PDB file of all heavy atoms in Angstrom:
ATOM      1  N   GLY A  57      -3.323  20.781   5.745  1.00  0.00           N
ATOM      2  CA  GLY A  57      -3.114  21.777   6.789  1.00  0.00           C
ATOM      3  C   GLY A  57      -2.108  22.826   6.307  1.00  0.00           C
ATOM      4  O   GLY A  57      -1.738  22.901   5.120  1.00  0.00           O
ATOM      5  N   ARG A  58      -1.620  23.630   7.257  1.00  0.00           N
ATOM      6  CA  ARG A  58      -0.724  24.711   6.882  1.00  0.00           C
ATOM      7  C   ARG A  58       0.623  24.453   7.648  1.00  0.00           C
ATOM      8  O   ARG A  58       0.664  23.764   8.578  1.00  0.00           O
ATOM      9  CB  ARG A  58      -1.256  26.061   7.257  1.00  0.00           C
ATOM     10  CG  ARG A  58      -1.494  26.227   8.693  1.00  0.00           C
ATOM     11  CD  ARG A  58      -2.136  27.584   8.980  1.00  0.00           C
ATOM     12  NE  ARG A  58      -2.392  27.845  10.363  1.00  0.00           N
ATOM     13  CZ  ARG A  58      -1.560  28.553  11.085  1.00  0.00           C
ATOM     14  NH1 ARG A  58      -0.570  29.234  10.506  1.00  0.00           N
ATOM     15  NH2 ARG A  58      -1.796  28.761  12.328  1.00  0.00           N
ATOM     16  N   LEU A  59       1.597  25.083   7.018  1.00  0.00           N
ATOM     17  CA  LEU A  59       2.991  25.006   7.619  1.00  0.00           C
ATOM     18  C   LEU A  59       3.150  26.285   8.556  1.00  0.00           C
ATOM     19  O   LEU A  59       2.789  27.367   8.166  1.00  0.00           O
ATOM     20  CB  LEU A  59       4.074  25.080   6.576  1.00  0.00           C
ATOM     21  CG  LEU A  59       4.053  23.887   5.597  1.00  0.00           C
ATOM     22  CD1 LEU A  59       5.099  24.053   4.541  1.00  0.00           C
ATOM     23  CD2 LEU A  59       4.277  22.592   6.353  1.00  0.00           C
ATOM     24  N   LEU A  60       3.714  25.980   9.713  1.00  0.00           N
ATOM     25  CA  LEU A  60       4.015  27.135  10.631  1.00  0.00           C
ATOM     26  C   LEU A  60       5.394  27.599  10.404  1.00  0.00           C
ATOM     27  O   LEU A  60       6.221  27.048   9.679  1.00  0.00           O
ATOM     28  CB  LEU A  60       3.931  26.558  12.065  1.00  0.00           C
ATOM     29  CG  LEU A  60       2.599  25.954  12.451  1.00  0.00           C
ATOM     30  CD1 LEU A  60       2.683  25.348  13.809  1.00  0.00           C
ATOM     31  CD2 LEU A  60       1.420  26.977  12.412  1.00  0.00           C
ATOM     32  N   ASP A  61       5.635  28.822  11.001  1.00  0.00           N
ATOM     33  CA  ASP A  61       6.945  29.327  10.953  1.00  0.00           C
ATOM     34  C   ASP A  61       7.970  28.378  11.529  1.00  0.00           C
ATOM     35  O   ASP A  61       7.753  27.836  12.577  1.00  0.00           O
ATOM     36  CB  ASP A  61       7.063  30.702  11.659  1.00  0.00           C
ATOM     37  CG  ASP A  61       6.308  31.773  10.894  1.00  0.00           C
ATOM     38  OD1 ASP A  61       6.093  31.618   9.698  1.00  0.00           O
ATOM     39  OD2 ASP A  61       5.882  32.703  11.508  1.00  0.00           O
ATOM     40  N   GLY A  62       9.063  28.161  10.890  1.00  0.00           N
ATOM     41  CA  GLY A  62      10.087  27.267  11.354  1.00  0.00           C
ATOM     42  C   GLY A  62      10.031  25.976  10.738  1.00  0.00           C
ATOM     43  O   GLY A  62      10.737  25.037  10.992  1.00  0.00           O
ATOM     44  N   GLY A  63       8.975  25.728   9.886  1.00  0.00           N
ATOM     45  CA  GLY A  63       8.876  24.481   9.119  1.00  0.00           C
ATOM     46  C   GLY A  63       8.024  23.365   9.718  1.00  0.00           C
ATOM     47  O   GLY A  63       7.851  22.391   9.160  1.00  0.00           O
ATOM     48  N   THR A  64       7.544  23.598  10.910  1.00  0.00           N
ATOM     49  CA  THR A  64       6.675  22.632  11.569  1.00  0.00           C
ATOM     50  C   THR A  64       5.288  22.623  10.878  1.00  0.00           C
ATOM     51  O   THR A  64       4.865  23.606  10.303  1.00  0.00           O
ATOM     52  CB  THR A  64       6.613  22.703  13.014  1.00  0.00           C
ATOM     53  OG1 THR A  64       6.008  24.010  13.299  1.00  0.00           O
ATOM     54  CG2 THR A  64       7.928  22.580  13.671  1.00  0.00           C
ATOM     55  N   THR A  65       4.550  21.539  11.058  1.00  0.00           N
ATOM     56  CA  THR A  65       3.242  21.431  10.510  1.00  0.00           C
ATOM     57  C   THR A  65       2.182  21.655  11.590  1.00  0.00           C
ATOM     58  O   THR A  65       2.287  21.124  12.651  1.00  0.00           O
ATOM     59  CB  THR A  65       2.949  20.092   9.797  1.00  0.00           C
ATOM     60  OG1 THR A  65       3.211  19.120  10.764  1.00  0.00           O
ATOM     61  CG2 THR A  65       3.913  19.877   8.599  1.00  0.00           C
ATOM     62  N   ALA A  66       1.216  22.390  11.228  1.00  0.00           N
ATOM     63  CA  ALA A  66       0.035  22.582  12.127  1.00  0.00           C
ATOM     64  C   ALA A  66      -0.899  21.361  11.937  1.00  0.00           C
ATOM     65  O   ALA A  66      -0.864  20.671  10.928  1.00  0.00           O
ATOM     66  CB  ALA A  66      -0.747  23.876  11.729  1.00  0.00           C
ATOM     67  N   PRO A  67      -1.807  21.210  12.945  1.00  0.00           N
ATOM     68  CA  PRO A  67      -2.721  20.036  12.787  1.00  0.00           C
ATOM     69  C   PRO A  67      -3.587  20.205  11.571  1.00  0.00           C
ATOM     70  O   PRO A  67      -3.857  21.310  11.115  1.00  0.00           O
ATOM     71  CB  PRO A  67      -3.528  20.039  14.037  1.00  0.00           C
ATOM     72  CG  PRO A  67      -2.681  20.760  15.049  1.00  0.00           C
ATOM     73  CD  PRO A  67      -1.856  21.777  14.213  1.00  0.00           C
ATOM     74  N   ALA A  68      -4.081  19.077  10.995  1.00  0.00           N
ATOM     75  CA  ALA A  68      -4.939  19.071   9.874  1.00  0.00           C
ATOM     76  C   ALA A  68      -6.181  19.903  10.045  1.00  0.00           C
ATOM     77  O   ALA A  68      -6.863  19.820  11.136  1.00  0.00           O
ATOM     78  CB  ALA A  68      -5.276  17.689   9.433  1.00  0.00           C
ATOM     79  N   ARG A  69      -6.521  20.716   9.167  1.00  0.00           N
ATOM     80  CA  ARG A  69      -7.701  21.560   9.203  1.00  0.00           C
ATOM     81  C   ARG A  69      -8.933  20.852   8.671  1.00  0.00           C
ATOM     82  O   ARG A  69     -10.083  21.041   9.095  1.00  0.00           O
ATOM     83  CB  ARG A  69      -7.539  22.892   8.478  1.00  0.00           C
ATOM     84  CG  ARG A  69      -6.468  23.809   9.064  1.00  0.00           C
ATOM     85  CD  ARG A  69      -7.003  24.531  10.230  1.00  0.00           C
ATOM     86  NE  ARG A  69      -6.037  25.402  10.786  1.00  0.00           N
ATOM     87  CZ  ARG A  69      -6.340  26.611  11.282  1.00  0.00           C
ATOM     88  NH1 ARG A  69      -7.525  26.999  11.288  1.00  0.00           N
ATOM     89  NH2 ARG A  69      -5.386  27.297  11.745  1.00  0.00           N
ATOM     90  N   SER A  70      -8.618  20.007   7.622  1.00  0.00           N
ATOM     91  CA  SER A  70      -9.742  19.206   7.045  1.00  0.00           C
ATOM     92  C   SER A  70      -9.207  17.886   6.525  1.00  0.00           C
ATOM     93  O   SER A  70      -8.022  17.788   6.263  1.00  0.00           O
ATOM     94  CB  SER A  70     -10.386  20.044   5.936  1.00  0.00           C
ATOM     95  OG  SER A  70      -9.408  20.396   4.956  1.00  0.00           O
ATOM     96  N   GLU A  71     -10.132  16.907   6.497  1.00  0.00           N
ATOM     97  CA  GLU A  71      -9.711  15.654   5.995  1.00  0.00           C
ATOM     98  C   GLU A  71     -10.966  14.923   5.370  1.00  0.00           C
ATOM     99  O   GLU A  71     -12.107  15.299   5.627  1.00  0.00           O
ATOM    100  CB  GLU A  71      -9.181  14.722   7.059  1.00  0.00           C
ATOM    101  CG  GLU A  71     -10.069  14.321   8.211  1.00  0.00           C
ATOM    102  CD  GLU A  71      -9.365  13.440   9.139  1.00  0.00           C
ATOM    103  OE1 GLU A  71      -8.467  14.015   9.861  1.00  0.00           O
ATOM    104  OE2 GLU A  71      -9.693  12.286   9.259  1.00  0.00           O
ATOM    105  N   ILE A  72     -10.621  13.960   4.432  1.00  0.00           N
ATOM    106  CA  ILE A  72     -11.622  13.227   3.785  1.00  0.00           C
ATOM    107  C   ILE A  72     -11.096  11.918   3.298  1.00  0.00           C
ATOM    108  O   ILE A  72      -9.878  11.740   3.124  1.00  0.00           O
ATOM    109  CB  ILE A  72     -12.127  14.023   2.530  1.00  0.00           C
ATOM    110  CG1 ILE A  72     -13.454  13.368   1.895  1.00  0.00           C
ATOM    111  CG2 ILE A  72     -11.005  14.184   1.485  1.00  0.00           C
ATOM    112  CD1 ILE A  72     -14.061  14.202   0.855  1.00  0.00           C
ATOM    113  N   VAL A  73     -11.888  10.838   3.177  1.00  0.00           N
ATOM    114  CA  VAL A  73     -11.482   9.532   2.654  1.00  0.00           C
ATOM    115  C   VAL A  73     -11.818   9.537   1.151  1.00  0.00           C
ATOM    116  O   VAL A  73     -12.905   9.803   0.767  1.00  0.00           O
ATOM    117  CB  VAL A  73     -12.139   8.456   3.389  1.00  0.00           C
ATOM    118  CG1 VAL A  73     -11.865   7.085   2.822  1.00  0.00           C
ATOM    119  CG2 VAL A  73     -11.857   8.446   4.887  1.00  0.00           C
ATOM    120  N   VAL A  74     -10.755   9.223   0.400  1.00  0.00           N
ATOM    121  CA  VAL A  74     -10.864   9.188  -1.096  1.00  0.00           C
ATOM    122  C   VAL A  74     -10.592   7.809  -1.634  1.00  0.00           C
ATOM    123  O   VAL A  74      -9.905   6.983  -1.058  1.00  0.00           O
ATOM    124  CB  VAL A  74      -9.979  10.301  -1.751  1.00  0.00           C
ATOM    125  CG1 VAL A  74     -10.429  11.660  -1.336  1.00  0.00           C
ATOM    126  CG2 VAL A  74      -8.540  10.034  -1.438  1.00  0.00           C
ATOM    127  N   ASP A  75     -11.123   7.605  -2.817  1.00  0.00           N
ATOM    128  CA  ASP A  75     -10.852   6.336  -3.492  1.00  0.00           C
ATOM    129  C   ASP A  75      -9.646   6.585  -4.449  1.00  0.00           C
ATOM    130  O   ASP A  75      -9.672   7.514  -5.198  1.00  0.00           O
ATOM    131  CB  ASP A  75     -12.138   5.962  -4.311  1.00  0.00           C
ATOM    132  CG  ASP A  75     -11.972   4.517  -4.868  1.00  0.00           C
ATOM    133  OD1 ASP A  75     -11.085   3.783  -4.451  1.00  0.00           O
ATOM    134  OD2 ASP A  75     -12.817   4.227  -5.776  1.00  0.00           O
ATOM    135  N   LEU A  76      -8.677   5.723  -4.304  1.00  0.00           N
ATOM    136  CA  LEU A  76      -7.414   5.909  -5.057  1.00  0.00           C
ATOM    137  C   LEU A  76      -7.589   5.413  -6.529  1.00  0.00           C
ATOM    138  O   LEU A  76      -6.694   5.690  -7.383  1.00  0.00           O
ATOM    139  CB  LEU A  76      -6.267   5.222  -4.392  1.00  0.00           C
ATOM    140  CG  LEU A  76      -5.774   5.804  -3.135  1.00  0.00           C
ATOM    141  CD1 LEU A  76      -4.671   4.984  -2.575  1.00  0.00           C
ATOM    142  CD2 LEU A  76      -5.392   7.222  -3.237  1.00  0.00           C
ATOM    143  N   SER A  77      -8.700   4.795  -6.908  1.00  0.00           N
ATOM    144  CA  SER A  77      -8.880   4.217  -8.226  1.00  0.00           C
ATOM    145  C   SER A  77      -9.237   5.386  -9.142  1.00  0.00           C
ATOM    146  O   SER A  77      -9.141   5.226 -10.390  1.00  0.00           O
ATOM    147  CB  SER A  77      -9.901   3.172  -8.258  1.00  0.00           C
ATOM    148  OG  SER A  77     -11.181   3.536  -7.792  1.00  0.00           O
ATOM    149  N   VAL A  78      -9.753   6.556  -8.672  1.00  0.00           N
ATOM    150  CA  VAL A  78     -10.066   7.716  -9.486  1.00  0.00           C
ATOM    151  C   VAL A  78      -8.718   8.273 -10.051  1.00  0.00           C
ATOM    152  O   VAL A  78      -7.631   7.969  -9.518  1.00  0.00           O
ATOM    153  CB  VAL A  78     -10.886   8.735  -8.726  1.00  0.00           C
ATOM    154  CG1 VAL A  78     -12.196   8.107  -8.331  1.00  0.00           C
ATOM    155  CG2 VAL A  78     -10.163   9.360  -7.658  1.00  0.00           C
ATOM    156  N   GLY A  79      -8.849   8.991 -11.037  1.00  0.00           N
ATOM    157  CA  GLY A  79      -7.681   9.620 -11.666  1.00  0.00           C
ATOM    158  C   GLY A  79      -6.885  10.635 -10.857  1.00  0.00           C
ATOM    159  O   GLY A  79      -7.507  11.114  -9.867  1.00  0.00           O
ATOM    160  N   THR A  80      -5.802  11.084 -11.274  1.00  0.00           N
ATOM    161  CA  THR A  80      -5.060  12.045 -10.679  1.00  0.00           C
ATOM    162  C   THR A  80      -5.726  13.403 -10.663  1.00  0.00           C
ATOM    163  O   THR A  80      -5.627  14.198  -9.756  1.00  0.00           O
ATOM    164  CB  THR A  80      -3.653  12.160 -11.180  1.00  0.00           C
ATOM    165  OG1 THR A  80      -2.985  10.853 -11.241  1.00  0.00           O
ATOM    166  CG2 THR A  80      -2.694  13.112 -10.532  1.00  0.00           C
ATOM    167  N   ALA A  81      -6.450  13.722 -11.786  1.00  0.00           N
ATOM    168  CA  ALA A  81      -7.108  14.960 -11.882  1.00  0.00           C
ATOM    169  C   ALA A  81      -8.247  15.096 -10.829  1.00  0.00           C
ATOM    170  O   ALA A  81      -8.358  16.194 -10.254  1.00  0.00           O
ATOM    171  CB  ALA A  81      -7.703  15.087 -13.318  1.00  0.00           C
ATOM    172  N   GLU A  82      -8.996  13.959 -10.620  1.00  0.00           N
ATOM    173  CA  GLU A  82     -10.015  14.056  -9.587  1.00  0.00           C
ATOM    174  C   GLU A  82      -9.402  14.247  -8.204  1.00  0.00           C
ATOM    175  O   GLU A  82      -9.966  14.953  -7.390  1.00  0.00           O
ATOM    176  CB  GLU A  82     -10.919  12.810  -9.679  1.00  0.00           C
ATOM    177  CG  GLU A  82     -11.750  12.676 -10.904  1.00  0.00           C
ATOM    178  CD  GLU A  82     -11.048  12.117 -12.101  1.00  0.00           C
ATOM    179  OE1 GLU A  82      -9.874  11.715 -12.000  1.00  0.00           O
ATOM    180  OE2 GLU A  82     -11.618  12.143 -13.187  1.00  0.00           O
ATOM    181  N   LEU A  83      -8.333  13.514  -7.960  1.00  0.00           N
ATOM    182  CA  LEU A  83      -7.670  13.635  -6.630  1.00  0.00           C
ATOM    183  C   LEU A  83      -7.134  15.035  -6.440  1.00  0.00           C
ATOM    184  O   LEU A  83      -7.159  15.618  -5.359  1.00  0.00           O
ATOM    185  CB  LEU A  83      -6.474  12.678  -6.472  1.00  0.00           C
ATOM    186  CG  LEU A  83      -6.839  11.202  -6.182  1.00  0.00           C
ATOM    187  CD1 LEU A  83      -5.620  10.410  -6.212  1.00  0.00           C
ATOM    188  CD2 LEU A  83      -7.599  11.107  -4.866  1.00  0.00           C
ATOM    189  N   ALA A  84      -6.589  15.618  -7.520  1.00  0.00           N
ATOM    190  CA  ALA A  84      -6.135  17.060  -7.509  1.00  0.00           C
ATOM    191  C   ALA A  84      -7.287  17.971  -7.135  1.00  0.00           C
ATOM    192  O   ALA A  84      -7.171  18.970  -6.363  1.00  0.00           O
ATOM    193  CB  ALA A  84      -5.424  17.405  -8.743  1.00  0.00           C
ATOM    194  N   ALA A  85      -8.435  17.744  -7.719  1.00  0.00           N
ATOM    195  CA  ALA A  85      -9.664  18.616  -7.488  1.00  0.00           C
ATOM    196  C   ALA A  85      -9.988  18.473  -6.064  1.00  0.00           C
ATOM    197  O   ALA A  85     -10.335  19.506  -5.369  1.00  0.00           O
ATOM    198  CB  ALA A  85     -10.755  18.175  -8.370  1.00  0.00           C
TER     199      ALA A  85
END
Side-chain angles (χ1 to χ4, degrees):
R58 64 187 181 99
L59 296 176
L60 301 174
D61 291 336
T64 60
T65 58
R69 296 281 182 144
S70 58
E71 66 180 67
I72 191 170
V73 175
V74 294
D75 189 15
L76 293 178
S77 62
V78 299
T80 306
E82 289 84 4
L83 282 176

